[in-house]
Amino acid sequence: MIVMKFGGTSVGGAGRIRGVVGIIKSKLPSEPVVVVSALSGVTDSLIALGKASAARIDTSRMLEQVIRLHYDVIGRLGLDSKIIGSETEQLRKLVEDIYMLRELTPRYLDHLMSFGERMSARIVAAYMLRAGIPACAYDAYDIGMVTTPNFGDADLLPGTYSEIGKLLSGRKGMVPVITGFIGKSADGSITTLGRGGSDYTASIIGAAIGAEEIQIWTDVDGIMTADPKIVKTARSIETVSYNEATELAMLGAKVLHPKTILPAVENNIPVRILNTFNPSQKGTLVLGNGVGSKVTSITYKKHVVAISITATGKNRTDGFVEKVLGIFDARGIEVDLVSNSRIGVSVIIDEEDETQNLIDDLKRMGSVKSRKNSARVSLVGSDLSDILDDMYSSLKSIHIEMMTPDASGKNKSMLMGERYVNSAVKKLHTTFFSG
Ligand code: ADP
Ligand code: ASP
Ligand code: MG
């Protein structure tokens, strides 16, 4: 058995869905279980729709556009439009409710986003049937995906793996097409696993059924030496270790959701990242140990804010740093790239986590400076102990504002203005991959 997950661009339109179904057909002897994302751009459109509705803006055109996109694909694939009839009706009703409520709560937002995957799974399964492959669409929560009620960032509840394994067994040649990204909490509310979370769904299902391989089918040739959208000459990496892949994902490489690797490691299942647009390419294999190149890949994260807090008055005491970090912790805000002295601490956080409330709380500890439009650029590899000279000389013209202390030797991150990111990634790529 294998799991095959297809991301948004892989199911972006009728032509692409035909291609995907061709790929699935070629793997039938491996007994695939398919996981799909929403059609390309749909999750973003649903979020925009929800925000506009809550703001009491007339969203009828936006809503019809999202629905029409799906019906167009259904028409082009020659399918029956009834397959998403119930979902579109529920979606219309939900948007109305949000309008009435004047608020997009996290619970409503997750419910709203779930329609993307629910519609795409039904379309892909119906087209598989049409192409002669026995298939059936499932909403992940109907095959046992039970999560915490953490809307927007839900995680699995114990027992989920065995439940999914049980419900997916004995399917005799039928290919399940399961919604990525979504689950339900124990009280029956729809939840999501975080943006890009369909990769995580795939590895959860892989672990639950004891798959031989978890395949993440996307729009590039695997994990590459840098984001190919920035570096045209980026190369695909043949093998990376579980650790490196997790590190890269956590440091911003969008190709893989950061939680994808753990269920695979725990069950010793290789993860392969493949390109739907170039299916004969070998892609990247993620498994126990990579080849251990010095620098494996360069990654980045935009839309971060750097906040520096310097202790004033009676706060100039030993526990200052812990107290400041406690303020972020109490709000569930992840901090990154921490640099500190006894009376000062600098951190970076996601742009969306910076609220006036947070800043007000921090101001009680000292003077606060916040630098917006910042970004983190990171090198990931197996041994970064002697790369500093090359790194600094390639970035001579760029002002580096902060640098990670060299804790693990496996990654090196630096903070800079967002406008320098593309040029920094390109320069570092030229230095470490000569091209
Ligand atoms: P999907 O819709 O298939 O889940 P994503 O858009 O989430 O695809 O992830 C694939 C994208 O990740 C690529 O198009 C690429 O721009 C981006 N990316 C960022 N860093 C890397 C990297 N190191 N290797 C490959 N792709 C990367
Ligand atoms: N559709 C969801 C998103 O856009 C999940 C995914 O694509 O993995 O974040
Ligand atoms: Mg993705």
Side-chain angles (χ1 to χ4, degrees):
M1 281 184 292
I2 59 171
V3 175
M4 303 176 81
K5 175 262 171 176
F6 295 93
T9 39
S10 301
V11 291
R16 298 200 165 154
I17 292 177
R18 281 194 198 98
V20 159
V21 171
I23 295 172
I24 298 170
K25 205 168 195 171
S26 71
K27 305 280 183 188
L28 287 179
S30 306
E31 297 179 68
V33 171
V34 173
V35 173
V36 290
S37 291
L39 306 196
S40 182
V42 166
T43 309
D44 287 339
S45 303
L46 290 169
I47 297 171
L49 183 59
K51 285 184 177 161
S53 268
R56 292 236 140 191
I57 294 167
D58 178 9
T59 52
S60 40
R61 269 191 53 198
M62 283 167 92
L63 175 62
E64 290 319 312
Q65 250 173 21
V66 176
I67 293 177
R68 196 167 353 103
L69 175 84
H70 292 86
Y71 280 124
D72 274 357
V73 170
I74 286 176
R76 281 171 212 267
L77 293 174
L79 304 173
D80 184 344
S81 58
K82 284 201 213 79
I83 55 173
I84 55 164
S86 158
E87 282 65 38
T88 52
E89 205 176 297
Q90 292 173 48
L91 172 59
R92 285 200 170 92
K93 167 87 178 53
L94 184 71
V95 172
E96 239 169 66
D97 289 351
I98 295 169
Y99 184 86
M100 299 307 286
L101 197 71
R102 296 171 184 254
E103 198 192 344
L104 183 60
T105 61
R107 181 192 300 264
Y108 272 93
L109 177 60
D110 274 12
H111 194 158
L112 182 61
M113 288 193 287
S114 75
F115 286 101
E117 272 68 13
R118 289 158 67 189
M119 293 192 281
S120 73
R122 282 160 176 80
I123 296 172
V124 172
Y127 187 67
M128 283 168 67
L129 274 175
R130 194 160 189 262
I133 307 169
C136 185
Y138 292 99
D139 292 327
Y141 41 76
D142 289 335
I143 52 132
M145 188 72 75
V146 187
T147 74
T148 58
N150 270 20
F151 299 106
D153 188 25
D155 218 325
L156 286 200
L157 285 185
T160 301
Y161 287 106
S162 61
E163 190 63 14
I164 295 177
K166 228 176 16 206
L167 289 168
L168 281 181
S169 64
R171 52 203 163 79
K172 298 201 186 76
M174 188 274 295
V175 181
V177 180
I178 301 165
T179 54
F181 185 47
I182 65 172
K184 254 186 194 173
S185 60
D187 74 354
S189 304
I190 294 181
T191 54
T192 66
L193 306 177
R195 293 302 307 269
S198 300
D199 300 335
Y200 187 32
T201 307
S203 69
I204 292 167
I205 290 175
I209 63 172
E212 287 140 46
E213 187 167 284
I214 296 160
Q215 300 184 345
I216 306 291
W217 289 83
T218 184
D219 59 352
V220 290
D221 287 339
I223 298 183
M224 308 188 71
T225 47
D227 183 350
K229 290 201 176 91
I230 293 187
V231 183
K232 299 288 166 239
T233 51
R235 298 192 292 270
S236 146
I237 309 166
E238 218 168 293
T239 49
V240 303
S241 66
Y242 286 130
N243 284 345
E244 280 173 335
T246 303
E247 198 110 29
L248 270 165
M250 293 207 327
L251 291 169
K254 199 187 159 206
V255 64
L256 213 56
H257 186 279
K259 289 182 184 160
T260 314
I261 296 300
L262 192 62
V265 179
E266 285 176 346
N267 294 278
N268 217 358
I269 305 171
V271 176
R272 197 183 281 278
I273 294 116
L274 293 150
N275 190 350
T276 325
F277 303 94
N278 188 9
S280 57
Q281 224 270 348
K282 278 198 306 203
T284 298
L285 186 62
V286 185
L287 79 184
N289 297 304
V291 279
S293 51
K294 267 187 148 175
V295 179
T296 307
S297 184
I298 300 154
T299 186
Y300 64 93
K301 188 159 191 273
K302 293 182 178 173
H303 310 301
V304 300
V305 180
I307 302 182
S308 306
I309 307 101
T310 311
T312 46
K314 63 175 173 27
N315 289 316
R316 289 167 176 263
T317 56
D318 274 349
F320 172 73
V321 174
E322 289 71 23
K323 278 192 203 144
V324 169
L325 294 179
I327 293 178
F328 291 97
D329 198 37
R331 292 166 178 269
I333 299 175
E334 260 177 56
V335 301
D336 190 8
L337 205 74
V338 183
S339 106
N340 63 282
S341 65
R342 215 167 59 81
I343 57 152
V345 55
S346 298
V347 302
I348 63 178
I349 62 171
D350 282 355
E351 212 169 65
E352 65 207 30
D353 290 333
E354 190 198 26
T355 58
Q356 193 52 49
N357 257 335
L358 170 72
I359 299 294
D360 289 345
D361 269 5
L362 292 173
K363 278 187 175 158
R364 279 185 211 112
M365 299 297 299
S367 69
V368 179
K369 261 199 222 138
S370 127
R371 281 193 302 282
K372 297 187 195 313
N373 302 319
S374 296
R376 176 173 40 56
V377 171
S378 310
L379 293 165
V380 174
S382 58
D383 177 14
L384 303 183
S385 52
D386 60 359
I387 59 142
L388 278 188
D389 288 349
D390 288 343
M391 194 185 88
Y392 280 122
S393 58
S394 70
L395 298 180
K396 273 199 297 286
S397 55
I398 292 174
H399 178 55
I400 298 173
E401 294 172 20
M402 215 199 296
M403 179 85 103
T404 35
D406 195 5
S408 66
K410 308 277 188 223
N411 75 65
K412 194 95 215 147
S413 288
M414 58 212 112
L415 177 77
M416 62 185 67
E418 203 166 85
R419 62 187 185 284
Y420 299 120
V421 169
N422 288 19
S423 129
V425 172
K426 281 183 192 149
K427 285 175 199 280
L428 289 168
H429 197 268
T430 306
T431 301
F432 292 106
F433 299 100
S434 54

